[in-house]
Amino acid sequence: MEKTEWVLWKHTGGHKKDPDAWKDSFKELCAFSTIEDFWRYFNHIPKPSAVFFDGESKKRVGLKDEIIEEYSLFKRGIEPEWDDPANKIGGEWFWRSNMDGDVLDLFWLNMVLGVIGETMEDPALGVHINGARVVDKSKGYPIFKIELWIDTKDEVAREKIRDMLSKTITQGLPQHKAAKNNPRFEWKAH
């Protein structure tokens, strides 16, 4: 089986003021095809809670003093945008919530590990996951969006993926946080 190469992207703020500049707002952070390379990079990239809105401000990071509004992880050759041919034919499972930062970080890590480890795929239904995103949708109060993008609209495949996604991201969630952070994913076709 051929190894999949994954690309982790960051999306910086400012594109909402100029929609034509949206594509310029995302930059490749790293690419990897082994679990060793994944950890080598991932351990040095700020967690979403470290850069997203915390109730007071969005954090500015790096030498360019950037505001990071999204992280995206997609297979090499698939860009994190609806118009990419691999994304146009499918859709996404998404969930918006005002979850705590530690829960956001856990859900993002679990989803990323599930995507690169292909543990949310059913081999009998084929490989359909293109990528995952975590987005800061805050406007005066913290609200975050978790997305899993797939290349099919087939109801059986997408429901199976949603069920696996829900189980995967909540692994390791403390019992006292489970009720408030029970994901209820919604479907959006691209």
CSV table of all heavy atoms in Angstrom, one decimal, residues 89-124:
chain,number,residue,atom,x,y,z
A,89,ILE,N,-16.9,17.2,-5.4
A,89,ILE,CA,-17.8,16.0,-5.6
A,89,ILE,C,-18.4,15.5,-4.3
A,89,ILE,O,-19.2,14.6,-4.3
A,89,ILE,CB,-17.1,14.9,-6.4
A,89,ILE,CG1,-15.8,14.4,-5.6
A,89,ILE,CG2,-16.7,15.3,-7.8
A,89,ILE,CD1,-15.1,13.2,-6.2
A,90,GLY,N,-17.9,16.0,-3.2
A,90,GLY,CA,-18.4,15.5,-1.9
A,90,GLY,C,-18.9,16.6,-1.0
A,90,GLY,O,-19.8,17.3,-1.5
A,91,GLY,N,-18.5,16.6,0.2
A,91,GLY,CA,-19.0,17.6,1.2
A,91,GLY,C,-18.2,17.5,2.4
A,91,GLY,O,-17.1,16.9,2.5
A,92,GLU,N,-18.8,18.0,3.5
A,92,GLU,CA,-18.1,18.0,4.8
A,92,GLU,C,-19.1,17.7,5.9
A,92,GLU,O,-20.3,18.1,5.9
A,92,GLU,CB,-17.4,19.3,5.1
A,92,GLU,CG,-18.4,20.4,5.3
A,92,GLU,CD,-17.8,21.8,5.3
A,92,GLU,OE1,-17.2,22.3,4.3
A,92,GLU,OE2,-17.8,22.4,6.4
A,93,TRP,N,-18.6,17.0,7.0
A,93,TRP,CA,-19.2,17.0,8.3
A,93,TRP,C,-18.7,18.1,9.1
A,93,TRP,O,-17.4,18.3,9.1
A,93,TRP,CB,-19.0,15.6,8.9
A,93,TRP,CG,-19.7,14.5,8.3
A,93,TRP,CD1,-19.2,13.5,7.6
A,93,TRP,CD2,-21.1,14.3,8.4
A,93,TRP,NE1,-20.3,12.6,7.2
A,93,TRP,CE2,-21.4,13.1,7.7
A,93,TRP,CE3,-22.2,15.0,9.0
A,93,TRP,CZ2,-22.7,12.6,7.5
A,93,TRP,CZ3,-23.5,14.5,8.9
A,93,TRP,CH2,-23.8,13.3,8.1
A,94,PHE,N,-19.5,18.9,9.7
A,94,PHE,CA,-19.0,20.0,10.6
A,94,PHE,C,-19.8,20.1,11.8
A,94,PHE,O,-20.9,19.6,11.9
A,94,PHE,CB,-19.0,21.3,9.8
A,94,PHE,CG,-20.4,21.9,9.6
A,94,PHE,CD1,-21.0,22.8,10.5
A,94,PHE,CD2,-21.2,21.5,8.5
A,94,PHE,CE1,-22.2,23.3,10.3
A,94,PHE,CE2,-22.5,22.0,8.3
A,94,PHE,CZ,-23.0,22.9,9.2
A,95,TRP,N,-19.1,20.7,12.8
A,95,TRP,CA,-19.7,20.9,14.1
A,95,TRP,C,-19.2,22.2,14.7
A,95,TRP,O,-18.0,22.4,14.7
A,95,TRP,CB,-19.4,19.7,15.1
A,95,TRP,CG,-19.9,19.9,16.5
A,95,TRP,CD1,-21.2,20.3,16.9
A,95,TRP,CD2,-19.2,19.7,17.7
A,95,TRP,NE1,-21.3,20.3,18.3
A,95,TRP,CE2,-20.0,20.0,18.8
A,95,TRP,CE3,-17.8,19.4,17.9
A,95,TRP,CZ2,-19.6,19.9,20.1
A,95,TRP,CZ3,-17.4,19.3,19.3
A,95,TRP,CH2,-18.3,19.6,20.3
A,96,ARG,N,-20.1,23.1,15.1
A,96,ARG,CA,-19.7,24.4,15.7
A,96,ARG,C,-20.0,24.3,17.2
A,96,ARG,O,-21.0,23.8,17.6
A,96,ARG,CB,-20.5,25.5,15.2
A,96,ARG,CG,-20.1,26.0,13.8
A,96,ARG,CD,-21.1,27.1,13.4
A,96,ARG,NE,-21.0,27.3,12.0
A,96,ARG,CZ,-20.6,28.4,11.4
A,96,ARG,NH1,-20.1,29.4,12.1
A,96,ARG,NH2,-20.6,28.5,10.1
A,97,SER,N,-19.0,24.8,18.0
A,97,SER,CA,-19.2,24.7,19.4
A,97,SER,C,-18.3,25.8,20.1
A,97,SER,O,-17.3,26.2,19.5
A,97,SER,CB,-18.8,23.3,20.0
A,97,SER,OG,-18.9,23.3,21.4
A,98,ASN,N,-18.7,26.1,21.3
A,98,ASN,CA,-17.9,27.1,22.1
A,98,ASN,C,-17.1,26.3,23.1
A,98,ASN,O,-16.9,26.6,24.3
A,98,ASN,CB,-18.7,28.1,22.8
A,98,ASN,CG,-19.7,27.5,23.8
A,98,ASN,OD1,-20.0,26.3,23.8
A,98,ASN,ND2,-20.2,28.3,24.7
A,99,MET,N,-16.5,25.1,22.7
A,99,MET,CA,-15.7,24.2,23.6
A,99,MET,C,-14.5,24.9,24.2
A,99,MET,O,-14.0,25.9,23.6
A,99,MET,CB,-15.3,23.0,22.8
A,99,MET,CG,-14.4,23.3,21.7
A,99,MET,SD,-14.2,21.9,20.5
A,99,MET,CE,-15.4,22.3,19.3
A,100,ASP,N,-14.1,24.4,25.3
A,100,ASP,CA,-12.9,24.9,26.0
A,100,ASP,C,-11.7,24.6,25.1
A,100,ASP,O,-11.7,23.7,24.4
A,100,ASP,CB,-12.7,24.2,27.4
A,100,ASP,CG,-13.9,24.6,28.3
A,100,ASP,OD1,-14.5,25.7,28.2
A,100,ASP,OD2,-14.1,23.8,29.3
A,101,GLY,N,-10.6,25.3,25.4
A,101,GLY,CA,-9.4,25.2,24.6
A,101,GLY,C,-8.8,23.8,24.7
A,101,GLY,O,-8.3,23.2,23.7
A,102,ASP,N,-8.8,23.2,25.9
A,102,ASP,CA,-8.2,21.8,26.0
A,102,ASP,C,-9.1,20.8,25.2
A,102,ASP,O,-8.5,19.9,24.7
A,102,ASP,CB,-8.1,21.4,27.5
A,102,ASP,CG,-9.4,21.4,28.3
A,102,ASP,OD1,-10.3,22.1,27.9
A,102,ASP,OD2,-9.4,20.7,29.3
A,103,VAL,N,-10.4,21.0,25.2
A,103,VAL,CA,-11.2,20.1,24.4
A,103,VAL,C,-11.0,20.3,22.9
A,103,VAL,O,-10.9,19.3,22.2
A,103,VAL,CB,-12.7,20.3,24.8
A,103,VAL,CG1,-13.6,19.5,23.9
A,103,VAL,CG2,-12.9,19.9,26.3
A,104,LEU,N,-10.9,21.5,22.5
A,104,LEU,CA,-10.6,21.9,21.1
A,104,LEU,C,-9.3,21.2,20.7
A,104,LEU,O,-9.3,20.5,19.6
A,104,LEU,CB,-10.5,23.4,20.9
A,104,LEU,CG,-10.1,23.9,19.5
A,104,LEU,CD1,-11.2,23.6,18.5
A,104,LEU,CD2,-9.8,25.4,19.6
A,105,ASP,N,-8.3,21.3,21.5
A,105,ASP,CA,-7.0,20.7,21.1
A,105,ASP,C,-7.1,19.2,21.0
A,105,ASP,O,-6.5,18.6,20.1
A,105,ASP,CB,-5.9,21.1,22.1
A,105,ASP,CG,-5.6,22.6,22.1
A,105,ASP,OD1,-5.9,23.3,21.1
A,105,ASP,OD2,-5.1,23.1,23.1
A,106,LEU,N,-7.8,18.6,22.0
A,106,LEU,CA,-8.0,17.1,22.0
A,106,LEU,C,-8.7,16.7,20.7
A,106,LEU,O,-8.3,15.7,20.1
A,106,LEU,CB,-8.7,16.7,23.2
A,106,LEU,CG,-9.0,15.2,23.3
A,106,LEU,CD1,-7.8,14.3,23.4
A,106,LEU,CD2,-10.0,14.9,24.4
A,107,PHE,N,-9.8,17.3,20.4
A,107,PHE,CA,-10.6,17.0,19.3
A,107,PHE,C,-9.8,17.1,18.0
A,107,PHE,O,-9.9,16.3,17.1
A,107,PHE,CB,-11.9,17.8,19.2
A,107,PHE,CG,-13.0,17.4,20.2
A,107,PHE,CD1,-12.8,16.4,21.1
A,107,PHE,CD2,-14.2,18.0,20.2
A,107,PHE,CE1,-13.7,16.0,22.0
A,107,PHE,CE2,-15.2,17.6,21.1
A,107,PHE,CZ,-15.0,16.6,22.0
A,108,TRP,N,-9.1,18.2,17.8
A,108,TRP,CA,-8.2,18.4,16.7
A,108,TRP,C,-7.2,17.3,16.5
A,108,TRP,O,-7.0,16.7,15.5
A,108,TRP,CB,-7.6,19.8,16.7
A,108,TRP,CG,-6.6,20.1,15.6
A,108,TRP,CD1,-5.3,20.4,15.8
A,108,TRP,CD2,-6.8,20.1,14.2
A,108,TRP,NE1,-4.7,20.6,14.6
A,108,TRP,CE2,-5.6,20.4,13.6
A,108,TRP,CE3,-7.9,19.8,13.4
A,108,TRP,CZ2,-5.5,20.5,12.2
A,108,TRP,CZ3,-7.8,19.8,12.0
A,108,TRP,CH2,-6.5,20.2,11.4
A,109,LEU,N,-6.5,17.0,17.6
A,109,LEU,CA,-5.4,16.0,17.6
A,109,LEU,C,-6.1,14.6,17.2
A,109,LEU,O,-5.5,13.9,16.4
A,109,LEU,CB,-4.7,15.9,18.9
A,109,LEU,CG,-3.7,14.8,19.0
A,109,LEU,CD1,-2.6,14.9,18.0
A,109,LEU,CD2,-3.1,14.7,20.5
A,110,ASN,N,-7.1,14.3,17.9
A,110,ASN,CA,-7.8,13.0,17.6
A,110,ASN,C,-8.3,12.9,16.2
A,110,ASN,O,-8.1,11.8,15.5
A,110,ASN,CB,-9.0,12.8,18.5
A,110,ASN,CG,-8.6,12.4,19.9
A,110,ASN,OD1,-7.4,12.1,20.2
A,110,ASN,ND2,-9.5,12.5,20.9
A,111,MET,N,-8.8,14.0,15.6
A,111,MET,CA,-9.3,14.0,14.3
A,111,MET,C,-8.1,13.8,13.3
A,111,MET,O,-8.2,13.0,12.3
A,111,MET,CB,-10.1,15.2,13.9
A,111,MET,CG,-10.7,15.2,12.5
A,111,MET,SD,-12.0,16.4,12.2
A,111,MET,CE,-11.1,17.9,12.5
A,112,VAL,N,-7.0,14.5,13.5
A,112,VAL,CA,-5.9,14.5,12.7
A,112,VAL,C,-5.3,13.0,12.7
A,112,VAL,O,-5.0,12.5,11.6
A,112,VAL,CB,-4.8,15.5,13.1
A,112,VAL,CG1,-3.4,15.2,12.5
A,112,VAL,CG2,-5.3,16.9,12.7
A,113,LEU,N,-5.2,12.5,13.9
A,113,LEU,CA,-4.6,11.1,14.0
A,113,LEU,C,-5.6,10.1,13.3
A,113,LEU,O,-5.1,9.2,12.6
A,113,LEU,CB,-4.4,10.7,15.4
A,113,LEU,CG,-3.3,11.4,16.2
A,113,LEU,CD1,-3.3,11.1,17.6
A,113,LEU,CD2,-1.9,11.2,15.5
A,114,GLY,N,-6.9,10.3,13.4
A,114,GLY,CA,-7.8,9.4,12.7
A,114,GLY,C,-7.7,9.6,11.2
A,114,GLY,O,-7.9,8.6,10.5
A,115,VAL,N,-7.5,10.8,10.7
A,115,VAL,CA,-7.4,11.0,9.3
A,115,VAL,C,-6.1,10.4,8.7
A,115,VAL,O,-6.1,9.6,7.8
A,115,VAL,CB,-7.4,12.5,9.0
A,115,VAL,CG1,-7.0,12.8,7.6
A,115,VAL,CG2,-8.8,13.1,9.2
A,116,ILE,N,-5.0,10.7,9.3
A,116,ILE,CA,-3.7,10.2,8.8
A,116,ILE,C,-3.5,8.7,9.0
A,116,ILE,O,-2.9,8.0,8.2
A,116,ILE,CB,-2.5,10.9,9.3
A,116,ILE,CG1,-2.2,10.8,10.8
A,116,ILE,CG2,-2.5,12.4,8.9
A,116,ILE,CD1,-1.0,11.4,11.3
A,117,GLY,N,-4.2,8.2,10.1
A,117,GLY,CA,-4.1,6.7,10.4
A,117,GLY,C,-5.2,5.9,9.6
A,117,GLY,O,-5.2,4.7,9.7
A,118,GLU,N,-6.1,6.6,8.9
A,118,GLU,CA,-7.2,6.0,8.1
A,118,GLU,C,-8.1,5.2,9.0
A,118,GLU,O,-8.6,4.2,8.5
A,118,GLU,CB,-6.6,5.3,6.9
A,118,GLU,CG,-5.9,6.2,5.9
A,118,GLU,CD,-5.4,5.5,4.7
A,118,GLU,OE1,-5.5,4.2,4.6
A,118,GLU,OE2,-4.9,6.2,3.8
A,119,THR,N,-8.2,5.5,10.3
A,119,THR,CA,-9.0,4.7,11.2
A,119,THR,C,-10.5,5.1,11.1
A,119,THR,O,-11.4,4.4,11.7
A,119,THR,CB,-8.6,4.9,12.6
A,119,THR,OG1,-8.7,6.2,13.0
A,119,THR,CG2,-7.2,4.4,12.8
A,120,MET,N,-10.9,6.1,10.4
A,120,MET,CA,-12.3,6.5,10.2
A,120,MET,C,-12.8,6.1,8.9
A,120,MET,O,-13.9,6.4,8.5
A,120,MET,CB,-12.4,8.0,10.4
A,120,MET,CG,-12.1,8.5,11.8
A,120,MET,SD,-12.4,10.3,12.1
A,120,MET,CE,-11.1,11.0,11.1
A,121,GLU,N,-12.0,5.3,8.1
A,121,GLU,CA,-12.4,4.8,6.8
A,121,GLU,C,-12.9,3.4,7.0
A,121,GLU,O,-12.4,2.6,7.8
A,121,GLU,CB,-11.3,4.8,5.8
A,121,GLU,CG,-10.6,6.2,5.6
A,121,GLU,CD,-11.3,7.0,4.5
A,121,GLU,OE1,-12.4,6.7,4.1
A,121,GLU,OE2,-10.7,8.0,4.1
A,122,ASP,N,-13.8,2.9,6.2
A,122,ASP,CA,-14.3,1.6,6.1
A,122,ASP,C,-13.8,1.0,4.8
A,122,ASP,O,-14.2,1.4,3.7
A,122,ASP,CB,-15.8,1.5,6.1
A,122,ASP,CG,-16.3,0.1,6.1
A,122,ASP,OD1,-15.6,-0.9,5.7
A,122,ASP,OD2,-17.5,-0.1,6.6
A,123,PRO,N,-12.8,0.1,4.8
A,123,PRO,CA,-12.2,-0.4,3.5
A,123,PRO,C,-13.2,-0.9,2.6
A,123,PRO,O,-13.1,-0.8,1.4
A,123,PRO,CB,-11.2,-1.5,4.0
A,123,PRO,CG,-10.9,-1.2,5.4
A,123,PRO,CD,-12.2,-0.5,6.0
A,124,ALA,N,-14.3,-1.5,3.1
A,124,ALA,CA,-15.4,-2.0,2.2
A,124,ALA,C,-16.1,-0.9,1.4
A,124,ALA,O,-16.6,-1.2,0.3
A,124,ALA,CB,-16.4,-2.8,3.0
